[in-house]
Amino acid sequence: MKADAPNLKLHGTALVADDELSNRVILNALLKKLGYQVIQAVDGADAVEKFRQHSIDIVLMDVMMPVMDGYAATEIIKSETADKFIPVLFLTAMTDDKALARCIEVGGDDFLTKPYNHTVLSAKIQSMERIQNLHQDIRMLYNRMQMDEEIAEQVFSGAVLAGNVVLDQISHLHKPASIFSGDIMLTAYSPSHDLHVLLGDFTGHGLAAALGALPTSEVFRSMTAKGFSPPQILQGINSKLHKMLPTGMFLAAQFVKISASLDYITVFNCGMPDLFVIDGNTRRIKNRLESRSMPLGIIPDSNFQEDAQHIRVGLGDRVLLTTDGVSEARDPTGEYFGSERLITAIEQSGEQAFILDNVSSALDRFCSDAPQDDDITMVELPLLPELLPSWRVDQLLAEQTHVDPNSLLDHDSDSVEFHITLRGMQLRKADPVPLLINYIQEMVGIRTHNQVLFTILTELFINALDHGVLGLDSSLKEGPDGFTRYFEERDRMLSQLNEGSVHIGLRIHPQANGGWIVIQIEDSGPGFDFANATSAQGEKPLFSGRGIQLLSSLCESFSYLEPGNRAEAIYAWTNE
């Protein structure tokens, strides 16, 4: 009885290109034994045409053929299969090194010398099949990785970037070195209507570098919304990243607080390139602020308070933030763009609306077609009213509904009291205002009045700390360098503070249609002669400046008590 022929596994379709019929017949027989369907071509041009007409899995290509040789045909075939591995085995009787090297140079994957040996041919094809299968696995994994990155990028954009504010007034350039960027830009308004901006650069780039962006944005936005100060926000981000980031990974960052009055900015530079403050008219650099702090996530406890840089600014000035991908960008010869070229591009921006446009053009010209090594991010902040919320003091005052404070105090009502005292070193790092706001919300939930209450409590606490405990004189703020001088003296005195205290008491009277809060504050300072401290122009207190005037307008009543180190404010609200 005759045995059945073995079932061969169908491996695909092979293209045999040879101008000699005998060679094609031999290869056809050998390939069919290996489980291939065979398509034959008589020259290089015919091979290219057949390749385009059929789905080919492997090519056996003779070198010397009429019309088009095997070298030219292979170059065309390989150029049309860049996203798929189609092995090409050259068939040649030549044995010199140059000819064989030429086979590899044009894209060939191996070669087979004539006359053909079935065992050698089978081994070479099996080797190509293993490479082909490996290539398919890699391609499948790469496609899956790309899909995962695209999904993650959508989540990243929705969770990190979508929450940013005032992007229509900020000029920013973001060029990631891969799908994912290790650079991050965050913007948010504080309850006092200051603008907080953070530009960060995680170690490396790609998905791994971007993993820290989600917790960073969460801490930044939540703490900014609650009224925490920039040093506290940076400490919160630092603590979070130190717990979650692997060793060797960290976040370099620039943090800018733009005051709601647009007359000064506070800058923290944590391991980033220099930050520039630029005159809005001359385009000359007014301040170049270098790094004073370590990047975030390296050590668990960092004190950012002493690293603050306070700069007086003018209307129309610009603040330029950059990651190190700008200065470390390279041209085709490998030379770095550097800080000097950056400065030149800044000061030669001329009449352009945004300085960043000129810097970006200079960077593009310099880099030309050189590969990008790192993420590139730049942010330009124009110090103009449009950068800040439309909220204004006069608008708030116009919406304020006042009642007779005596009628409030005489009214019998259930009340809740809360007292907090900060002493000595606690005054250096603790900010009680977010805690007090949170407590008020827990008690009565008047979220629509958060901004007003935050303003009142902040003004009271800052006045008690700065002028009561530290004894700072507001006249220090006068002059071009006044803010810098004032805050440097404030930071110096706070760093040495070991005694003194500020006590805050809240008495909340909620009612069905509204209620009122009595805020009392007392500092350990000697007080002042508040009864006689008025100016000749009117009732503006000489000791208070704009802050206490604002308090008097926002509250139902505001008064100082003997001996001048105590104050009481009453704020009332109605339920809409």
Side-chain angles (χ1 to χ4, degrees):
M1 183 175 178
K2 186 177 179 181
D4 292 336
N7 292 323
L8 293 177
K9 180 183 177 182
L10 187 61
H11 285 196
T13 303
L15 173 63
V16 175
D18 198 312
D19 59 329
E20 293 188 15
L21 176 61
S22 59
N23 290 334
R24 297 199 302 272
V25 171
I26 294 172
L27 289 171
N28 182 73
L30 293 175
L31 287 166
K32 283 189 174 181
K33 287 184 179 180
L34 295 174
Y36 281 92
Q37 293 181 344
V38 180
I39 295 174
Q40 300 181 26
V42 298
D43 56 49
D46 188 29
V48 171
E49 184 178 354
K50 296 282 178 59
F51 182 84
R52 290 169 175 170
Q53 292 174 352
H54 302 275
S55 177
I56 303 299
D57 298 292
I58 189 169
V59 178
L60 283 77
M61 182 77 69
D62 187 22
V63 174
M64 305 304 296
M65 292 184 292
V67 183
M68 180 186 293
D69 63 23
Y71 296 139
T74 298
E75 286 184 312
I76 295 173
I77 288 172
K78 284 292 186 178
S79 69
E80 296 182 2
T81 58
D83 60 340
K84 186 178 180 182
F85 177 67
I86 306 295
V88 175
L89 274 69
F90 272 102
L91 311 172
T92 178
M94 297 181 293
T95 57
D96 63 286
D97 293 341
K98 289 185 178 179
L100 298 178
R102 177 64 176 158
C103 293
I104 303 301
E105 289 174 0
V106 298
D109 300 289
D110 205 341
F111 49 83
L112 187 67
T113 56
K114 301 176 182 179
Y116 309 125
N117 181 287
H118 181 274
T119 302
V120 175
L121 174 63
S122 177
K124 288 182 178 289
I125 289 179
Q126 288 177 7
S127 174
M128 290 298 107
E129 288 175 348
R130 287 194 296 269
I131 296 173
Q132 198 170 39
N133 290 336
L134 181 61
H135 188 277
Q136 290 174 350
D137 290 343
I138 293 173
R139 169 60 61 180
M140 185 170 60
L141 290 172
Y142 178 74
N143 290 338
R144 185 181 301 169
M145 181 189 71
Q146 277 193 314
M147 183 180 299
D148 289 345
E149 287 192 342
E150 289 172 1
I151 294 172
E153 197 277 335
Q154 292 177 6
V155 174
F156 177 86
S157 298
V160 178
L161 304 181
N164 284 334
V165 300
V166 78
L167 292 182
D168 58 333
Q169 298 297 328
I170 295 174
S171 178
H172 54 98
L173 171 69
H174 184 55
K175 294 175 64 177
S178 59
I179 293 179
F180 259 95
S181 172
D183 293 351
I184 179 175
M185 182 189 75
L186 302 171
T187 62
Y189 291 124
S190 72
S192 59
H193 301 280
D194 301 327
L195 175 63
H196 288 179
V197 179
L198 183 146
L199 177 62
D201 182 3
F202 282 95
T203 312
H205 56 268
L207 179 57
L211 288 176
L214 289 173
T216 298
S217 64
E218 179 185 0
V219 175
F220 173 84
R221 291 206 173 92
S222 63
M223 293 189 70
T224 295
K226 292 177 181 177
F228 286 97
S229 66
Q232 292 172 313
I233 297 171
L234 289 170
Q235 288 168 0
I237 296 172
N238 179 74
S239 177
K240 187 83 169 180
L241 295 181
H242 182 265
K243 292 177 182 177
M244 63 164 289
L245 292 182
T247 302
M249 190 173 177
F250 53 82
L251 173 66
Q254 295 171 339
F255 192 116
V256 180
K257 185 192 86 170
I258 300 175
S259 69
S261 56
L262 282 175
D263 52 2
Y264 77 95
I265 64 172
T266 301
V267 174
F268 298 83
N269 193 339
C270 310
M272 286 277 274
D274 293 350
L275 179 147
F276 299 96
V277 180
I278 304 155
D279 187 279
N281 296 317
T282 66
R283 300 302 172 97
R284 293 296 175 186
I285 295 172
K286 298 169 62 175
N287 302 93
R288 184 174 176 177
L289 308 176
E290 61 185 12
S291 173
R292 289 187 178 181
S293 307
M294 291 181 64
L296 311 182
I298 297 178
I299 58 177
D301 299 314
S302 294
N303 182 12
F304 299 94
Q305 185 66 53
E306 299 176 359
D307 300 326
Q309 302 179 70
H310 307 279
I311 306 297
R312 180 182 285 277
V313 293
L315 198 64
D317 286 352
R318 307 294 174 114
V319 181
L320 184 67
L321 301 80
T322 67
T323 60
D324 59 9
V326 176
S327 58
E328 294 178 6
R330 295 189 293 179
D331 69 3
T333 68
E335 184 177 355
Y336 290 112
F337 186 68
S339 58
E340 295 306 315
R341 287 189 179 90
L342 175 59
I343 292 172
T344 299
I346 291 172
E347 297 189 334
Q348 290 182 351
S349 58
E351 297 298 323
Q352 286 181 286
F354 284 103
I355 296 170
L356 191 148
D357 293 337
N358 193 61
V359 175
S360 177
S361 298
L363 189 64
D364 288 341
R365 290 192 301 270
F366 176 82
C367 295
S368 186
D369 57 353
Q372 184 177 335
D373 299 324
D374 196 5
D375 304 317
I376 293 174
T377 305
M378 294 185 283
V379 179
E380 181 180 351
L381 307 171
L383 302 183
L384 297 169
E386 292 78 12
L387 196 65
L388 298 169
S390 58
W391 177 91
R392 291 292 182 269
V393 173
D394 53 357
Q395 177 186 349
L396 183 62
L397 295 176
E399 297 173 354
Q400 202 70 5
T401 302
H402 292 282
V403 297
D404 182 3
N406 293 322
S407 66
L408 297 176
L409 297 178
D410 292 340
H411 195 285
D412 185 21
S413 171
D414 293 334
S415 67
V416 179
E417 290 196 31
F418 178 74
H419 296 264
I420 183 171
T421 301
L422 300 177
R423 293 187 176 91
M425 290 188 293
Q426 288 297 320
L427 288 168
R428 300 183 190 176
K429 52 186 178 181
D431 182 358
V433 176
L435 174 65
L436 295 173
I437 292 292
N438 184 67
Y439 177 78
I440 294 170
Q441 293 306 323
E442 289 292 327
M443 293 297 101
V444 291
I446 48 174
R447 296 190 179 277
T448 56
H449 296 257
N450 266 6
Q451 293 176 345
V452 183
L453 289 170
F454 187 91
T455 301
I456 294 170
L457 287 167
T458 299
E459 289 290 347
L460 288 171
F461 178 70
I462 292 299
N463 271 279
L465 176 60
D466 286 15
H467 307 308
V469 177
L470 300 179
L472 286 166
D473 190 338
S474 295
S475 63
L476 283 173
K477 297 179 182 179
E478 297 175 358
D481 300 323
F483 273 103
T484 301
R485 185 169 60 250
Y486 180 88
F487 283 110
E488 286 179 349
E489 179 64 11
R490 184 181 191 271
D491 293 342
R492 184 191 67 80
M493 297 180 71
L494 276 176
S495 67
Q496 300 174 359
L497 185 63
N498 293 308
E499 57 185 20
S501 65
V502 174
H503 173 85
I504 304 173
L506 297 180
R507 189 168 69 252
I508 307 172
H509 299 261
Q511 291 185 308
N513 61 342
W516 66 93
I517 300 176
V518 180
I519 306 169
Q520 294 180 330
I521 188 164
E522 180 178 352
D523 63 67
S524 59
F528 64 97
D529 185 8
F530 60 90
N532 296 317
T534 55
S535 65
Q537 286 79 19
E539 295 301 316
K540 176 183 176 182
L542 291 175
F543 57 84
S544 66
R546 173 180 171 276
I548 302 304
Q549 273 194 309
L550 179 59
L551 286 180
S552 300
S553 302
L554 294 176
C555 298
E556 307 308 318
S557 70
F558 175 79
S559 59
Y560 275 99
L561 307 174
E562 293 287 354
N565 64 344
R566 295 189 297 148
E568 181 181 87
I570 301 175
Y571 178 78
W573 77 92
T574 57
N575 295 329
E576 297 295 338

